[in-house]
Amino acid sequence: MAQFYDCFTSTVLISIEDYGFCKRGEAGPFALEGNLRLGGALPSNTSGGMLSEANLVGWNVLAEGVRQIRGSSTSQVDDAEVCVVAGQGGFHAAHSTVLLTKGAA
């Protein structure tokens, strides 16, 4: 799953391509096929992201990534073990990315 910084709708599509989940030009069709939905190949911004939840400049996607890995999200991805959290996407000169993983309890 992934939690993308989404200041604009297109930012998620650009990030999907920049992080290598799709080749250039393929993110739009990938999204239209339902792959970003809960249960899709790459569930993304499961709490709504900035565009639907709140504009907290990337903090909301980090919090949702943690909830997903903990298993406590209201939009829980089944068997969530790895989450990419992207701030500002991979296309900016200054950006951040963190991989959250389920560790041993």
Side-chain angles (χ1 to χ4, degrees):
M1 114 213 37
Q3 308 297 327
F4 293 108
Y5 182 84
D6 61 343
C7 53
F8 301 100
T9 304
S10 61
T11 305
V12 172
L13 300 177
I14 294 166
S15 295
I16 287 169
E17 294 174 358
D18 282 349
Y19 282 99
F21 292 108
C22 289
K23 293 180 182 175
R24 295 274 185 221
E26 294 180 1
F30 182 76
L32 287 173
E33 292 168 1
N35 288 302
L36 305 184
R37 294 181 184 155
L38 199 58
L42 183 64
S44 300
N45 292 15
T46 51
S47 66
M50 288 175 55
L51 294 175
S52 297
E53 182 186 25
N55 184 352
L56 298 174
V57 194
W59 285 105
N60 53 338
V61 291
L62 179 59
E64 177 63 9
V66 169
R67 287 190 294 262
Q68 285 288 346
I69 295 302
R70 287 181 176 171
S72 62
S73 174
T74 58
S75 301
Q76 187 61 46
V77 173
D78 293 336
D79 302 318
E81 293 190 17
V82 177
C83 180
V84 173
V85 179
Q88 295 281 339
F91 55 92
H92 292 281
H95 69 274
S96 61
T97 305
V98 66
L99 288 176
L100 302 173
T101 61
K102 187 167 280 202

